[in-house]
Amino acid sequence: MHFLTDRGFNHPHASEITPRRAYDSRRDVLKLLATGAAGATMAAWAGREARAQATRPGRLAALPAARSALAGGVTMEKLTPYADLTTYNNFYEFGTDKGDPAQNAHTLKIRPWTVAVEGEVKKPKVFDIDELLKLSPMEERVYRLRCVEGWSMVVPWVGYSLAELIKRVEPTGNAKFVEFVTLADPKTMPFVGSRVLEWPYIEGLRMDEAMHPLTLLAFGLYGEVLPNQSGAPVRAVVPWKYGFKSGKSIVKIRFTDKQPATSWVKSASQEYGFYSNVNPGVDHPRWSQATERRIGEDGLLAKKRATLPFNGYEPQVGQLYAGMDLKKFY
Ligand SMILES: Nc1nc2c(c(=O)[nH]1)N[C@H]1C(S)=C(S)[C@@H](COP(=O)(O)O)O[C@H]1N2
Ligand SMILES: [Mo]
């Protein structure tokens, strides 16, 4: 299915997303027919469309946002089609196959939902999700997301800088790190209890990383609220780090004086470090990190793309790591 090129989106406005998508799908099908594409390709197309339909029966609630004006906030690269980025997911609570989250995450209950913000802050508070949605104006940020497995995508997220929330709870002088705790509900998440990882899924950032304006608290994508498989109702997105740093379905944000024990470091510290900045110069012990495949776009035969230091966000974030040995702090 990834041989297909969906020349869908060039940064549509929220209001035109669905019509544009339908239009472009039809146009691509016509193009395929005109070039006499093989039946197998058509079947793959139909399969992909059916999956996208099945997991997205109607249009999700609109989440309008203004285009971000932040440096690095909007990459001009071609967007990954909605159908691809919502059917190729890592969300181990719902299974370890890429298609499992789209299949299984309909059980996730996203209301009522609260996010407890606590620890080293002067104003700890349990936020209702609907209050969080109104905390700060929504922005559309178009970020590259690079998974440690060697694939990447380009997503028009909707959210606001995590810093907006952090400022309101007033961290104390002891707050050196932020820990994200995500939902672990065995009733709605079939793989919580499996041994792949320790649950809940925990991620963390150093305070300056968390305060960096590019670090996004995301509530939506493509102008709509997040589909469950993408981490509804709220997730982090840290574009210069490997995808696993971007925890999905967050229920707690804790400020600490110690570096959090994160799930991937606990499961395999020789393979995954706390920092996990995208770095083509530091290979994973079992594979190279020098190149990547763009989901929905680069087929198996295409030449792979070069992975950029800090996923291309070095001008914005490189300074955070001045003087650090990035081979040691991987
Ligand atoms: N709670 C939770 N968050 C998670 C994961 C997970 O398994 N559970 N997987 C991570 C990984 S490895 C990646 S690459 C991204 C994928 O986000 P996406 O499915 O929206 O592309 O989510 C991250 N956040
Ligand atoms: Mo990942």
Side-chain angles (χ1 to χ4, degrees):
M1 83 191 211
H2 290 125
F3 289 96
L4 287 167
T5 298
D6 185 337
R7 301 196 180 284
F9 302 94
N10 236 330
H11 313 314
H13 294 291
S15 62
E16 64 173 73
I17 283 168
T18 301
R20 273 284 302 274
R21 187 183 303 132
Y23 167 78
D24 284 313
S25 302
R26 275 197 305 276
R27 197 187 54 183
D28 276 4
V29 170
L30 290 174
K31 213 160 54 195
L32 280 172
L33 289 172
T35 55
T41 312
M42 289 306 291
W45 174 269
R48 188 183 75 165
E49 287 293 282
R51 266 199 312 286
Q53 291 293 315
T55 55
R56 190 165 175 271
R59 197 181 153 150
L60 301 179
L63 193 57
R67 206 24 101 84
S68 175
L70 195 65
V74 178
T75 171
M76 286 302 153
E77 281 178 87
K78 190 155 69 94
L79 303 186
T80 301
Y82 188 97
D84 289 309
L85 69 89
T86 57
T87 54
Y88 192 94
N89 299 99
N90 277 338
F91 199 168
Y92 280 9
E93 290 84 336
F94 293 103
T96 51
D97 286 347
K98 294 288 178 269
D100 286 346
Q103 284 287 317
N104 300 333
H106 58 91
T107 54
L108 179 66
K109 242 186 101 206
I110 56 171
R111 290 294 187 287
W113 190 281
T114 56
V115 178
V117 185
E118 58 182 49
E120 291 292 343
V121 290
K122 293 189 195 110
K123 295 182 169 168
K125 182 175 162 120
V126 178
F127 289 88
D128 185 82
I129 186 68
D130 293 309
E131 185 182 357
L132 265 191
L133 278 160
K134 284 180 253 156
L135 190 87
S136 186
M138 289 288 169
E139 285 189 11
E140 184 176 65
R141 303 266 183 93
V142 184
Y143 286 164
R144 282 180 292 277
L145 183 142
R146 168 62 156 80
C147 177
V148 75
E149 296 163 343
W151 49 267
S152 63
M153 53 193 197
V154 179
V155 185
W157 302 105
V158 178
Y160 50 75
S161 296
L162 175 66
E164 293 296 334
L165 172 60
I166 296 179
K167 279 187 265 173
R168 285 164 174 83
V169 295
E170 298 180 22
T172 71
N174 293 331
K176 303 281 188 267
F177 294 92
V178 186
E179 178 178 281
F180 302 93
V181 182
T182 74
L183 185 69
D185 175 19
K187 288 198 293 294
T188 55
M189 298 171 139
F191 282 72
V192 165
S194 75
R195 306 251 191 109
V196 255
L197 283 176
E198 259 180 57
W199 313 101
Y201 188 101
I202 289 175
E203 259 312 328
L205 296 171
R206 207 171 61 189
M207 198 63 187
D208 58 344
E209 299 176 323
M211 285 297 291
H212 193 282
L214 286 177
T215 298
L216 187 71
L217 204 54
F219 302 86
L221 54 82
Y222 269 114
E224 299 181 353
V225 297
L226 289 170
N228 289 355
Q229 63 267 38
S230 302
V234 59
R235 68 174 293 173
V237 184
V238 192
W240 69 94
K241 293 178 179 280
Y242 290 117
F244 68 84
K245 297 296 290 181
S246 298
K248 294 178 170 181
S249 304
I250 294 170
V251 292
K252 193 183 287 186
I253 300 178
R254 222 162 63 84
F255 293 77
T256 63
D257 58 346
K258 287 187 198 67
Q259 184 171 300
T262 57
S263 291
W264 284 103
V265 172
K266 277 193 274 184
S267 80
S269 61
Q270 68 292 352
E271 303 195 354
Y272 309 107
F274 177 78
Y275 284 93
S276 286
N277 293 314
V278 173
N279 191 343
V282 176
D283 286 342
H284 184 279
R286 291 183 281 135
W287 59 81
S288 162
Q289 290 293 20
T291 61
E292 65 199 58
R293 182 171 62 87
R294 189 62 51 87
I295 294 304
E297 201 174 316
D298 297 346
L300 294 173
L301 305 175
K303 196 162 152 274
K304 286 199 173 182
R305 290 161 194 266
T307 288
L308 300 172
F310 299 102
N311 201 22
Y313 299 93
E314 184 164 21
Q316 289 82 35
V317 303
Q319 201 44 43
L320 297 176
Y321 309 99
M324 274 176 73
D325 179 352
L326 297 175
K327 287 204 159 70
K328 186 164 169 226
F329 297 101
Y330 56 95

